[in-house]
Amino acid sequence: MTNSEDHHRKILRGNTESSSRNTIPNDLIIEILSRLTGKSIAICRCVSKQWKALLRSPDFTKSFLTRSSSRPRILITYQAEGKWHFFSAPHPRNLVKELTLVEPDYHMSFSGHPYTEKCLSVNGLLCLIDTYMLMEKRDRVPVICNPSTGQYVPLPKVKAKNNDLRSFFGYDPINKQYKVMCMTVTRYRQQDNSKEHQVLTIGKGKLSWKKIECSFPHYPDNRRDGICINGVCYYIARSVPKEPSLIACFDVRSEEFSFIKMAESPSLIYVSALVNYKGKLGLVVHNCGSHGELWVLDDTKKEKWSKHIFALPDEVYHEIIRSTWATDTGEIAWVLSSLTRPLSVFYSNLETKSVKRVIIEGIDEEALMGIHRFGAFIDHVENVMFL
């Protein structure tokens, strides 16, 4: 907690202990506390029962998320020795130095199965798909966790006939609902389209999977994760075998599917990641020699794309790029393989063509060597919503 945050907390606590005539209005308390960090909010919940109720209210959760969205953090998550671990570090602003060091904050850990298929992030919440093998039967158990509150909630098992699963995590900003969408496929390269499409809505009441229809036969790519932008989940797929890939779109609110054609470019065969570039869908290509390409979908209806070039140093080009994102300031950021030391995040500025490097310090090097799964999210925001 910074000195400023501590000062605000003491002032507000002092007022809550004074007479009722001097009590600060709840709207003002929400406005002030939404400027603090998630760790500080956890401390503030201990001030009084009234504060605890206020800081768990939907109004405060919404206000805090709005504020925290303007100060994204770097989230590092890895699985080692049967446990998932979560750390986050401040997102450096206006990088001037070629090299910057940051220390992460530890959030939480919980036991997890080593065969986790996916780790997806939306609005500070993460969805992990754990896979359990029992008597040659595969069970998929999604887990929703919130590193900011230290909570994790196992969801109902995905009941399906086929062997493999593709999962996507999205948020409907109109109805303010989080949803997990799953579809099953047979073993790799043995099926031309997905089957058994199901959706689970996270909220009040009993959690259960609901079957939905998909009128567009397609096979989602398992090598690249999807991304949710403005209530739509995007992911790479094929509608016909041996035909060029398409961008599949799942509208989280209507629960309907559609498709967008990619731009015609040979380099798009090597798309490494889908990113949110200033509110638009972007496709990042690293396999371009000493530079990378960013293709931005400028017009969804007309399927109009624009191409941008960014710098890619040799040290990055020859390593395994584990995770790629775009920042809210328009930079392309990526994390190398967890085996690369020291653990670093690179930021490429599309305008200046320059690259800055941020080293993540303070994570146990020995633990990183024993990693089964590793993930990094550059656009992580703190969300104090209780699951």
Side-chain angles (χ1 to χ4, degrees), residues 123-190:
N123 282 357
L125 303 185
L126 275 74
C127 178
L128 297 89
I129 310 294
D130 271 358
T131 302
Y132 296 84
M133 295 298 295
L134 183 63
M135 298 180 64
E136 297 184 356
K137 181 181 179 181
R138 178 180 296 183
D139 282 336
R140 280 85 58 167
V141 182
V143 176
I144 300 296
C145 67
N146 186 346
S148 298
T149 62
Q151 288 181 294
Y152 66 96
V153 177
L155 302 180
K157 294 180 180 179
V158 183
K159 297 181 180 179
K161 298 177 182 178
N162 290 347
N163 293 327
D164 209 351
L165 182 74
R166 301 291 183 271
S167 305
F168 303 93
F169 187 33
Y171 177 68
D172 168 16
I174 304 299
N175 295 325
K176 297 178 173 55
Q177 292 179 323
Y178 293 88
K179 297 183 181 181
V180 181
M181 188 271 286
C182 293
M183 62 183 78
T184 55
V185 296
T186 55
R187 294 182 179 180
Y188 184 59
R189 298 184 185 279
Q190 293 185 9

Side-chain angles (χ1 to χ4, degrees), residues 57-120:
S57 67
D59 287 341
F60 179 75
T61 300
K62 178 182 178 181
S63 177
F64 185 87
L65 183 60
T66 301
R67 292 278 185 181
S68 62
S69 295
S70 64
R71 51 177 191 254
R73 296 173 65 84
I74 305 166
L75 181 72
I76 303 295
T77 175
Y78 65 86
Q79 190 184 53
E81 298 181 352
K83 283 190 175 184
W84 275 99
H85 303 271
F86 299 86
F87 298 80
S88 73
H91 198 329
R93 293 292 185 180
N94 301 319
L95 288 172
V96 178
K97 298 180 179 179
E98 293 290 336
L99 184 64
T100 304
L101 306 180
V102 296
E103 292 189 6
D105 296 322
Y106 174 77
H107 287 289
M108 63 182 291
S109 65
F110 62 86
S111 298
H113 198 273
Y115 299 105
T116 299
E117 295 182 358
K118 291 291 181 183
C119 181
L120 308 167

